[in-house]
Amino acid sequence: MPGLHAHIPNQSFVLQHDSADDFLTFTYPTLRRHEASSNIVLAHALKRVGAESALSRYEFMSDEDVDALFSCMDRDRFGPRTSTDAFWLTLWSVSSPSASPTLDLVLACVNWSLGDYPIFLWTPHRASAASGSWSMPRIQQIAKHLHSCAPPERVYSVFGLTSLVKTFSRVWTQMTGFVVEQEPFYAALFSYCTAHTFREGDAALPDGHQLRKGKMTDLEAIAQLCKEFADDTIFFPLSIERARIEARELISKGLVWVYDAHGDITTICAVTRNSHRVSAITKVYTTPRWRRRGCAEFLVRDVTAQLLFDFGKESVVLYVGHENSAQRVYDRVGFAGLCGKPKPDAVEDSLELGFVGADRGHW
């Protein structure tokens, strides 16, 4: 690509993307190839550009289109810029003057109705990320750029592949003085279910019970379950007023399903991160008085089946805590690598570490 190497001072470089459109324009071909694992960064970006209305444009993009962008890129793109809204950092490497840049690392700094999300880290090079010699210089470079364009108070936690998160937290503490919280905010497995792994259930839904999309008439009940779910996490509690904001958004966008037992909303299942071939279940919660009656399994199985067989998704993904008994529910539905079973390569350890003194957001 003529002129590209003249713009790049080192063998790796960081780009800052101040809009979801700019981020996807550079990264979509790579994210698409890894659509399940990249869900944590891809789906948020698609949501900000209107997902369905804009998706068709990205679907036709190729690696050659990205190469063309780099060949005429302005040198000013390499410097950090202060950003007050969502932004994305991408780290690229170049193996030789004639080679095309390769996407190595994505850092997403985004927000939503209830505040800031954690810093999300993702790489398409999952095996390489386990090597400190690969990850350390890349994390140092992208963390240095982050420190130049955002206040350290914004980085209240970082979430992603465990090896990346541990490396980032060490680098960030050395760089900013913000130390890691004693307890991880979240330690989880990333799992998936496909049409091949999905398992039908044997039990019949009790008479008079329904599995359905949430409606505005369910607002108070769903808000209460959102609040209880948040309170269970300890680190991210919600007032009932803020829980109503979340519930209203979930209902209005058609992102929440409920288990309705004769008008009693026992369980919610939210699906808030969607892309062309992948959807993520992001919240499942049953109120204590209805637990151990199979409500969550009925609902998760029904929602997963709809996503796979009615909406044509190739996979449904989720994160579940290492010690969370919900693993048994997901395992029975067909999510891979749970309950001590052998883990396929795509089932990975993920981690969220918080930083003391930062401004806590919510997710």
Side-chain angles (χ1 to χ4, degrees):
M1 290 174 292
L4 173 63
H5 190 64
H7 287 297
I8 301 173
N10 302 304
Q11 291 297 93
S12 61
F13 61 95
V14 174
L15 291 183
Q16 182 173 333
H17 311 271
D18 293 324
S19 72
D21 178 66
D22 186 72
F23 168 65
L24 292 172
T25 299
F26 278 86
T27 62
Y28 192 80
T30 301
L31 298 178
R32 169 74 189 243
R33 283 194 293 273
H34 306 273
E35 195 169 338
S37 72
S38 72
N39 173 269
I40 196 71
V41 294
L42 174 58
H44 288 304
L46 288 173
K47 190 183 299 185
R48 295 182 79 93
V49 295
E52 296 303 324
S53 62
L55 186 55
S56 59
R57 179 166 71 84
Y58 303 116
E59 284 294 303
F60 292 103
M61 289 184 60
S62 66
D63 291 320
E64 288 72 24
D65 295 323
V66 177
D67 290 346
L69 289 172
F70 280 115
S71 69
C72 59
M73 192 166 59
D74 193 303
R75 183 184 293 272
D76 291 340
R77 290 298 302 263
F78 293 107
R81 303 175 300 281
T82 301
S83 183
T84 56
D85 195 18
F87 64 90
W88 295 258
L89 304 180
T90 54
L91 185 141
W92 306 76
S93 62
V94 183
S95 58
S96 71
S98 60
S100 301
T102 299
L103 179 62
D104 283 350
L105 198 60
V106 172
L107 183 153
C109 182
V110 295
N111 50 30
W112 67 303
S113 305
L114 292 182
D116 291 328
Y117 280 116
I119 297 297
F120 295 126
L121 290 176
W122 178 79
T123 178
H125 309 295
R126 318 298 276 179
S128 299
S131 165
S133 62
W134 185 92
S135 62
M136 179 59 79
R138 289 165 172 82
I139 291 292
Q140 287 174 328
Q141 191 170 357
I142 208 166
K144 181 179 179 181
H145 191 114
L146 176 64
H147 190 33
S148 299
C149 66
E153 292 80 9
R154 164 61 184 87
V155 184
Y156 68 86
S157 72
V158 57
F159 178 76
L161 197 66
T162 295
S163 57
L164 288 180
V165 167
K166 287 183 176 180
T167 301
F168 179 92
S169 64
R170 290 195 298 270
V171 169
W172 194 248
T173 295
Q174 292 170 357
M175 193 173 289
T176 67
F178 280 71
V179 299
V180 176
E181 296 272 4
Q182 286 190 346
E183 294 293 327
F185 285 178
Y186 194 34
L189 287 172
F190 174 80
S191 182
Y192 64 88
C193 182
T194 68
H196 298 294
T197 67
F198 178 80
R199 298 177 195 161
E200 296 284 355
D202 298 326
L205 192 68
D207 289 341
H209 291 200
Q210 300 178 61
L211 307 173
R212 58 173 176 80
K213 279 282 188 76
K215 301 179 292 189
M216 278 302 170
T217 51
D218 306 316
L219 178 63
E220 288 302 317
I222 292 175
Q224 179 59 35
L225 295 184
C226 286
K227 181 184 183 333
E228 291 179 17
F229 175 87
D231 290 346
D232 258 9
T233 65
I234 302 173
F235 300 109
F236 301 101
L238 269 184
S239 67
I240 190 62
E241 292 79 16
R242 285 167 60 78
R244 288 191 189 103
I245 294 172
E246 181 179 15
R248 187 177 298 277
E249 181 171 318
L250 292 173
I251 296 166
S252 65
K253 295 181 178 178
L255 301 177
V256 63
W257 282 257
V258 301
Y259 186 115
D260 180 343
H262 297 288
D264 192 355
I265 305 303
T266 74
T267 308
I268 54 173
C269 177
V271 180
T272 61
R273 295 196 303 269
N274 296 285
S275 58
H276 182 62
R277 298 175 296 178
V278 177
S279 287
I281 291 176
T282 53
K283 187 194 305 285
V284 176
Y285 181 79
T286 300
T287 197
R289 70 180 184 280
W290 276 94
R291 290 178 185 171
R292 287 179 283 280
R293 303 193 203 184
C295 298
E297 185 172 340
F298 273 119
L299 188 58
V300 169
R301 179 174 284 111
D302 185 69
V303 170
T304 303
Q306 287 187 51
L307 294 169
L308 292 174
F309 305 115
D310 296 340
F311 295 99
K313 300 297 182 181
E314 289 185 9
S315 65
V316 179
V317 301
L318 54 75
Y319 294 98
V320 58
H322 289 165
E323 307 302 323
N324 192 336
S325 61
Q327 280 198 35
R328 295 195 294 270
V329 171
Y330 303 139
D331 174 67
R332 289 193 291 266
V333 171
F335 285 85
L338 303 179
C339 298
K341 294 182 177 178
K343 294 179 177 57
D345 289 342
V347 175
E348 299 168 332
D349 274 329
S350 301
L351 185 65
E352 181 183 7
L353 295 178
F355 295 95
V356 177
D359 299 330
R360 189 78 57 84
H362 187 86
W363 75 304

